[in-house]
Amino acid sequence: DKAVKFLSTTTGRDRVNRFVQYVTRFLIWFLAARGASHELLASLKNLMATIGLTRKVLFTGRQLEFYLAAVKLLATKDVFVKWTAIAKNFFMIVWVTLDTCQWLNATSLYSFPSIASINVRANQSWLAYILFSILGNLHKLRLNARQTRLNGGVPLRTLQEERKRLLRATVQDCLDVVLPVAMLEYVQLESGYLGIIGAVTSLMGACEYFFI
């Protein structure tokens, strides 16, 4: 039942597609190093590209969702939590919009003369989104630790569960941040390692739904 509900959501389908996409990236790197045939590598590259385009389509139109989430956050009392979360949603809107432009260009529905620049801006927006997510979670962890010390009426078990969730999210973000950093060539990292990181964080996201 949980699996059906998971796959019926955009996020659930994206997690599955993302996992397959990054496992495929790893396999291309792994098999290429072992002299796999050009035909096999070409098929895997085509699969990875197709899944990438599918993921972009799945997220097209979600800008409104992220905008409404940002509007609701205006009522948040903690200023740091509010503005990091709003910034996170803003960069998500930019990222999804640029992803849609990439999809339009790849399918030849519309050709952008500056597609290389769009690709860079998309990865920069992805990076900014993750960084603001990390900043927000680190601040929430600090607030959680203070609440735990003061014991201000919130059940200890609730605070402990919140801390575990925030720690998992922070670890996932710290792994994910490597992906746009490498794609922007701020650091040099082999494609296979990116595949492993992407596959692991995809599983972490799925486990968050199934087991938490």
Side-chain angles (χ1 to χ4, degrees):
D1 185 47
K2 270 195 171 185
V4 173
K5 288 182 179 179
F6 180 68
L7 292 173
S8 69
T9 65
T10 300
T11 301
R13 292 191 297 274
D14 180 66
R15 286 294 171 190
V16 173
N17 281 314
R18 188 179 191 271
F19 176 75
V20 176
Q21 181 184 15
Y22 279 103
V23 167
T24 304
R25 177 185 284 269
F26 169 77
L27 287 174
I28 292 168
W29 171 79
F30 181 82
L31 294 173
R34 280 151 184 80
S37 68
H38 292 298
E39 291 79 9
L40 175 59
L41 294 176
S43 295
L44 290 172
K45 288 176 182 177
N46 185 55
L47 173 62
M48 185 173 71
T50 302
I51 293 173
L53 290 177
T54 300
R55 292 184 62 218
K56 293 181 195 305
V57 173
L58 286 174
F59 270 87
T60 298
R62 293 191 66 188
Q63 291 91 330
L64 179 60
E65 175 188 337
F66 300 123
Y67 168 75
L68 293 175
V71 170
K72 288 180 181 178
L73 287 163
L74 290 171
T76 304
K77 291 182 180 180
D78 188 289
V79 175
F80 194 87
V81 171
K82 175 169 67 177
W83 289 110
T84 51
I86 288 174
K88 175 182 168 181
N89 278 277
F90 168 76
F91 282 108
M92 190 65 174
I93 291 170
V94 176
W95 179 25
V96 171
T97 301
L98 293 173
D99 259 7
T100 302
C101 293
Q102 291 174 314
W103 173 75
L104 289 170
N105 189 83
T107 55
S108 299
L109 290 174
Y110 184 86
S111 294
F112 291 88
S114 57
I115 190 62
S117 175
I118 288 174
N119 294 342
V120 171
R121 298 297 180 209
N123 283 321
Q124 288 173 337
S125 299
W126 182 16
L127 175 59
Y129 159 77
I130 297 173
L131 290 176
F132 277 110
S133 179
I134 291 171
L135 287 173
N137 284 336
L138 289 175
H139 181 68
K140 289 174 185 176
L141 282 166
R142 188 176 68 84
L143 294 177
N144 177 278
R146 187 171 66 184
Q147 279 186 304
T148 303
R149 279 198 315 272
L150 296 175
N151 192 19
V154 180
L156 181 60
R157 183 178 178 81
T158 300
L159 291 171
Q160 289 173 337
E161 289 299 319
E162 181 189 38
R163 183 170 183 79
K164 287 179 184 177
R165 179 183 59 78
L166 289 169
L167 284 171
R168 282 191 298 268
T170 304
V171 169
Q172 185 175 334
D173 283 338
C174 287
L175 288 172
D176 267 337
V177 78
V178 176
L179 302 175
V181 165
M183 290 177 186
L184 289 165
E185 298 183 346
Y186 295 156
V187 298
Q188 297 298 319
L189 199 62
E190 298 230 19
S191 181
Y193 297 125
L194 299 182
I196 292 171
I197 291 170
V200 167
T201 55
S202 297
L203 285 177
M204 289 175 72
C207 289
E208 187 75 16
Y209 179 88
F210 277 106
F211 304 118
I212 306 305

